[in-house]
Amino acid sequence: MYLHSNLLSALVLFIAAQSLGKTWVPSHCRSPIEAVCNFVCDCGDCSDEAQCGFHGASTTPSMSIPFTCSFEQDPCGWQDISTSGYSWLRDRAGAVLDGPGPRSDHTHGTDLGWYMAVGTHNGKEASTATLRSPVMREAAPTCELRLWYHTASRDVAELRLELTHGVETLTLWQSSGPWGPGWQELAVNTGRVQGDFKVSRVVFQAGHNGEGLGTDLDPKDPSSLQVTFSATRNATHRGAVALDDVEFRDCGLPRPQASCPLGQHHCQNKACVEPHQLCDGEDNCGDRSDEDPLICSHHMATDFETGLGLWNQLEGWTRNHSAGSMVSPAWPHRDHSRNSAYGFFLVSMAKPGTTAVLFSPEFQASVPYNCSLTFYYYLHGSEASCFQLFLQVQGLNTPPDPVLLRSHHGELGTAWVRDRVDIQSAQPFRILLAGETGPGGIVGLDDLIMSNYCKLVPDVSTVQSCSGSEALALCPQTSMELPLEACEPGHLSCGELCVPPEQFCDFQQQCAEGEDEHKCGTTDFESASAGGWEDTSIGRLQWQRVAAQNRKLARDADRDVPGHFLSLQKAWGQLRSEARARTPALGPSGPRCELHMTYRFHSHPQGFLALVVVENGFRELVWQAPSSSSSKGWTVEKVLLGARHRPFQLEFVGLVDLDGPGQQWAEVDNVTMRDCNPTVTTESDREVSCNFERDSCSWHTGHLTDAHWHRVKSHSSKYDHTTGQGFLMFLDPTDPPARGQGALLLTRPQVPLVPKECLSFWYHLYGPQIGTLRLAMRKDGEEDTLLWSRSGTHGNRWHQAWVTLHHQLEASTKYQLLFEGLRDGYRGTMALDDMAVRPGPCWAPKSCSFEDSDCGFSPGGLGLWKRQSNASGQAPWGPWTDHTTETAQGHYMVVDTSPDLLPKGHVASLTSEEHQPLTQPACLTFWYHLSLRNPGTLRVHLEASTRRQELSISAHGGFAWRLGSVNVQAGQAWRVVFEAVAAGVEHSYMALDDLLLQDGPCAQPGSCDFESGLCGWSHLAGPSLGAYSWDWSRGATPSRYPKPTVDHTLGTEAGHFAFFETSVLGPGGQKAWLRSEPLPATTASCLHFWYFMGFPEHFYKGELRVLLSSAQGQLAVWAQGGHLRHQWIQVQIEVSNPEEFQIVFEATLGGQPALGPIALDDVEYLAGRHCQQPLPSQGERAPMSVPIAVGGALLFFMFLVLLGLGGRHWLQKQPCPFQRSTDAATSGFDNILFNAVGTPRCGQVGDSASMLNDGKARSGGPGLRKRRLAPSIHVQTAFQQPLSNIPPSFLGSSYPPGIHHQQLIDQTRPGPSGQLAQHSALPDTHASTALSPSGGFALWCNQGWRGPCTVNKHSTPVRATQASGCTSYLLYLAEHIIAGRWVSLPGFKT
């Protein structure tokens, strides 16, 4: 039977797609080229908008969702077109650990998210990196491009965003810095672009980019467009720049429709537009039919391309364009009329403090129709710039003062903003347009369009006199009404006081009537001043003070008086949809400052209502209305603002779809600022000691970051230290999603009372990838002094720490303490509790990493011990890296023992501060590093009432840090003294790091029961391991991660163990290591431990491996998957290594991540001792319920009955499968025996070994060795030929350690060595091992064999014969063990 050719082709395509790991989905949408990448989804799945610099968005008609690219899946079509080594690539923070780039992406705020980044290698000259978008088409006038960028100011000379359209390249934005820390948002308007364009590059460059960039645009197509973001770095700088979350908002043109809604205009291309969009100077239809001269012939438009038209300037305005050199950095890069650098516009060239005035001719009275003026203005470069529009009535004997109709001020970015005024005047009138520039600012005007109802006064041949700028109350320097008393300009006169502007709205009343604190945010909106709140919107929505339709709010005193509130209303702007209303500059504020308000909010999911704090250009979201809010009533809300520096501003931001289905609204009323005076203090403001049960005492959260500490009540995995059920300060670095560097917890400024104080506190650092917690002291005018820090998980328990505070007792000296939780880790939590301050110094700390200080250690004699790091690479002596961080940036204590500084036999001592008396024996551990050249002897003394030597180390040095330990018993205060006794050798040294005092006696090297901690085992996450760490906990302690309910040592929930949660593995890291201290070379030692795996049924995804790590690499000696679950399993491993090594427990994945822990307990390393026979009991199962146990027993009994009947029936039809004729013997492996539950014993005449009923092996004959894999498995093998007769091909070859077996196609499973063997297709590959990493059975090669082990797989099972029954039975076992595959061992005869 033959397949139809078309069907065959489809089948081939389907199979090809499957082979690529993708599902092939036919697409029947074939959009014409002009409809691709035009911001309109012409295909149902929006596939025509893929790889366009963005990916297809929702086709929701209302409040259109932007087209976005987060770079999580691919670059979205963006291409690097750099011409030097300084270039762009898709990257993520987890792949570049210690570089200058971002620590997290912007999309997710973690190290797993992706972004586009510039390579950070050092250069020798200024270079430009250029990133270009694909060709895009037909951008609407409202099109806005938003993106987030991250850069280091000192590395980058310039950032630039450009748009290439036809033969012209427009600069949408450029900046030479300085740039703030973290991710910065950029929003620019592209303007109307006909046809194709590209946002074609991101260039970071120093100076002018003179290397012309090519494009993919058709020069004959004036409508093509590209966008470019470019960065230029300085010479010899790395120029780290990153780009993320590119969005194109409101860029699509309206779609053709058969008919338009009532009142809308039907364009020639069948699109529909609003009536106010006709003749507004913008191509809203897409074919310019809304700007058709036939329709707009009665409008009077001035675009300044050839002059001022009807308008006249009194002073200050200049007609200009953007081509050529810019007058100032804030200068417009293009006009509005043509969206071109060659188009003309007006700019105010008046000096700051003076006004530029443009006035219209005289118009007739406009009653009963509206005379409308549509205009476009530009405000950029200064918050003090201002633009205002006045109406000047004419024809009266005494002309009245001009009436203010519009006022805009501040920083609105690089866009031309549309506005419109409708004028109804019973008298002839003129329109005055006034602009005043702030320092560095620009005010611009373009496209002034008078509607058809604006009629000029006839026969006006000369311009009448204008009252001039002195008549305009333009842009007052403050929001206060300035009387004519003799105060300096800008000051407020109240009584006999002149209040300077910096004291306005500082929450401290200067005037008797409080005039200086009016218009400072507190308002019920009954006054027209609206409490100083001013609308700063530039889009289709605005905040307006409106009157209530019915009655005032029920909570007002007088319910019969109509009231006012702040409400979202429609506006004439064409740009960003959200509306903003902002206060004047406020502050400083105290830590208890709050904003109280009432609000009403109802919207579809895309809408929002929020309160933002604007401070130093940074916008912090402090409150957002619940998205599910649907109540029609008013809701009371309280928002903590906290302590902030001056100036800061509050801003309401809102977005609703007023044209969408159903009613939507956002309204605010009764805004009150409370407890904001920073000079008012309470008793609790002086309380540094705090258990957080009542409140936060003097501690408060910091700002300018979106990560925050929270005072929370104990719940679930959060538990406090005070009672276990009380309150604590808690930080989750990813909840809510944050992007900032970290979170601050600060005290109020404190006055020191004594020269030294001791601050003690309890901290909790827990999670497989938690970051850094540090404590610092802050004083005005000084850099913060780092006092203490800890990084990475410290187990699921509270730890106490203390720090001595040193003060200068001066009247003006105040200090703050601040805890900072850094977001350099994203999986885990931080917590603080029970802080206390007492006079006097602290005891010596229980742990010291020397990262922050010398921990109070004092060098004796000549002070030869130094605290140092090797960050510069120029350290004259000492280790290359420290032990704490294993990086060159880490610190340690080191002494140079060269004879010129420390002659032979001389001593350099290092003495600790006093330790508190001990109530029980303890263990002091430390890590030491001795130079390769013999430095001498390191002696450790304990000094109490007497001094005694506890340890002396004089071994030769090396490249590794080694662990030392001393048992301590001290019923009184004591010190530890390290002495370096020099050997008189040049270029020699001794170093110390990571001192730790723990309860209980010291453990033997490589051993630990985990009751007091991890002993000498290190869980530091290596850079190549995805920065994940093993943790330490007990069953009784609440945890967000699953773990065993009991340990093995005590068998109770109070016992401790080491564990790792494998669900965090995946894109960020494939493994986590738990490493022993360096152990000496050994010919035979025994590693004994208990492990636990807790994976769900059918999800054996986790894997535990044991590696031996040395200077030669890693060798896997044991691996186990999760078939045996929810029980503690005992393992013994014979260990031998010819050089110094470390034992590594590696937690990794056997597949996709699955929620489940791997735990370890009672690790014991028996140096120089062979392993003993296993115990009869092979494990201790976790408690299980009686019904489960009974049901399991019944099922197992039924299985045994069925297995017995089936085996009997099979044996009756087959010869003994476990006998082998002597004539069938061949060279190779003679026998392999298993002792496992359910495994029959195979034997034959002449066997070298047989398994007796007691499970013990008897050996006989040469060449037999025994090796043990796991507690339930014993393997014995024997060769019938000498090892020298094995062909060379038997040795095979191995892949590098660390490559997971599932990463290679058609490869064998790793053998006991953990190495991957040759490809199974090689004809001469020989097998020495079959192993399932997730099972427990293995076939071992022995007789001195050290080569890699190989398993070949076959498509058909191997049939058992009388000659090879035992072997085939082993293959049958392997079929169930090794991933369901039939396997054969070429060393066997089958």
Side-chain angles (χ1 to χ4, degrees), residues 1120-1235:
Q1120 182 65 48
H1123 282 294
L1124 299 175
R1125 304 180 312 280
H1126 304 293
Q1127 59 179 316
W1128 286 101
I1129 306 295
Q1130 184 185 22
V1131 176
Q1132 292 184 107
I1133 301 174
E1134 290 276 357
V1135 174
S1136 64
N1137 212 67
E1139 59 182 353
E1140 186 180 57
F1141 67 99
Q1142 289 175 284
I1143 298 172
V1144 178
F1145 287 102
E1146 179 185 85
T1148 184
L1149 285 177
Q1152 295 300 316
L1155 190 67
I1158 296 177
L1160 287 170
D1161 204 359
D1162 293 331
V1163 178
E1164 186 178 15
Y1165 177 70
L1166 304 174
R1169 295 167 54 182
H1170 288 278
C1171 292
Q1172 302 299 316
Q1173 288 292 332
L1175 301 176
S1177 174
Q1178 301 303 330
E1180 299 178 6
R1181 292 189 177 273
M1184 85 173 50
S1185 63
V1186 173
I1188 294 177
V1190 173
L1194 290 175
L1195 289 175
F1196 182 68
F1197 176 75
M1198 294 175 62
F1199 171 76
L1200 290 179
V1201 171
L1202 294 174
L1203 182 63
L1205 293 175
R1208 178 181 178 184
H1209 176 73
W1210 181 73
L1211 288 174
Q1212 289 175 349
K1213 296 185 177 182
Q1214 300 288 340
C1216 176
F1218 308 122
Q1219 292 182 355
R1220 178 179 175 183
S1221 11
T1222 56
D1223 59 355
T1226 62
S1227 62
F1229 292 90
D1230 183 58
N1231 88 40
I1232 299 181
L1233 304 181
F1234 286 78
N1235 173 24

Side-chain angles (χ1 to χ4, degrees), residues 24 47 158 209 260 298 343 370 544 679 681 704 740 750 790 796-797 812 898 915 936 977 989 1143 1254 1325 1340 1355:
W24 179 71
S47 58
E158 182 183 75
N209 176 28
C260 293
H298 297 291
N370 282 337
Q544 276 191 332
T679 63
T681 61
L704 300 184
Q750 304 293 316
R790 293 292 183 271
N796 189 16
R797 64 171 290 184
S812 60
S898 300
H915 286 266
V977 181
Y989 63 84
I1143 298 172
D1254 60 2
T1325 302
W1340 280 72
S1355 58

